[in-house]
Amino acid sequence: GGTVSADFLQVGVNGTGTFNQYAGTSVVVSNEFDVGLFSGSSGTYNLYGGSLGAPLELIGQSAPMAAPAAFVQRGGTNTADAIQLGDLGVYQLFGGQLNVNTNLSGNGELEIGGGSLSAGGTVSVGTLLLDAGSSYETNTELDVSSTAVPSVLAGALTVDAVGSLNIYGTADLSGTGSLTSNGTLSIGSPFSSAPAQLLVNDRAQLQNNGYLQLTGSGAVVVHGGTFTN
């Protein structure tokens, strides 16, 4: 229990570090929160309970200083003005509440297996993993960009009328996953020739009630699933 206050909080800097936070503990960072800082390092932050607050959270860095970094949230509340995921950065939300006042962005991976995510701005990541049995509803902009590591949507994803989902890489709607778009669903980019596709596999369901835009190499590919437009 108790309160931890710091100007900077860094986990995994020039080495390996792990920080476990439990219920009853409050961590307040007034400047910057870093996990996995500098090449050759690795860091893990496990949030089981309590509260964490910081203006800026950096989970890993991008090349050439990329370092493996993981933020694993199973409970509690994490509130940040902004979160940046480095090339090897992973945010895993399995429980609790994640509040991002502005943008959650970067080339890393966001996995949602439970809990609740509230973002005031854009959620733009390399890879999105939406686990089976979980759900996420967005009323802002959601971008996925990785072609090397496909996004896997095995849960229920809903795009509100004022929201948008932009796929610049590969997204796999699989298992019994569902995607319901009431806003804008955009696949591909006029500024890139890289393949961009939404795969509808297995027993997955794609329901488009809004605006569907295929640009450049953008495509919807159905393999066993259901696509209703």
Side-chain angles (χ1 to χ4, degrees):
T3 300
V4 177
S5 299
D7 188 16
F8 290 85
L9 178 58
Q10 299 175 326
V11 180
V13 180
N14 293 320
T16 300
T18 300
F19 192 115
N20 297 321
Q21 182 181 347
Y22 297 96
T25 303
S26 175
V27 176
V28 180
V29 181
S30 59
N31 197 317
E32 186 176 293
F33 170 91
D34 300 286
V35 180
L37 194 61
F38 304 133
S39 178
S41 302
S42 65
T44 302
Y45 196 99
N46 294 304
L47 178 58
Y48 296 102
S51 64
L52 167 66
L56 175 62
E57 295 182 5
L58 300 177
I59 315 300
Q61 288 190 319
S62 298
M65 302 298 291
F71 191 112
V72 183
Q73 183 175 357
R74 300 186 182 277
T77 301
N78 180 17
T79 302
D81 288 339
I83 295 179
Q84 294 180 13
L85 297 177
D87 292 347
L88 301 178
V90 176
Y91 198 111
Q92 296 175 304
L93 178 62
F94 298 135
Q97 176 72 41
L98 171 58
N99 303 312
V100 187
N101 296 329
T102 58
N103 301 328
L104 192 164
S105 61
N107 296 323
E109 178 183 295
L110 170 63
E111 180 178 4
I112 300 176
S116 179
L117 166 60
S118 174
T122 299
V123 176
S124 180
V125 296
T127 301
L128 172 65
L129 302 179
L130 186 61
D131 296 345
S134 64
S135 62
Y136 177 53
E137 182 173 349
T138 179
N139 58 7
T140 60
E141 179 180 336
L142 173 61
D143 303 333
V144 295
S145 59
S146 179
T147 56
V149 183
S151 293
V152 178
L153 310 176
L157 175 60
T158 302
V159 180
D160 288 346
V162 295
S164 64
L165 170 60
N166 301 303
I167 299 173
Y168 301 116
T170 300
D172 184 356
L173 190 59
S174 65
T176 57
S178 65
L179 168 56
T180 303
S181 177
N182 301 308
T184 299
L185 174 58
S186 177
I187 306 172
S189 168
F191 307 108
S192 173
S193 60
Q197 56 186 349
L198 173 59
L199 308 176
V200 186
N201 295 317
D202 304 322
R203 292 171 290 161
Q205 298 183 27
L206 170 58
Q207 175 76 48
N208 180 52
N209 302 321
Y211 179 64
L212 174 61
Q213 175 177 289
L214 303 178
T215 305
S217 62
V220 175
V221 181
V222 179
H223 287 299
T226 303
F227 174 28
T228 305
N229 188 28

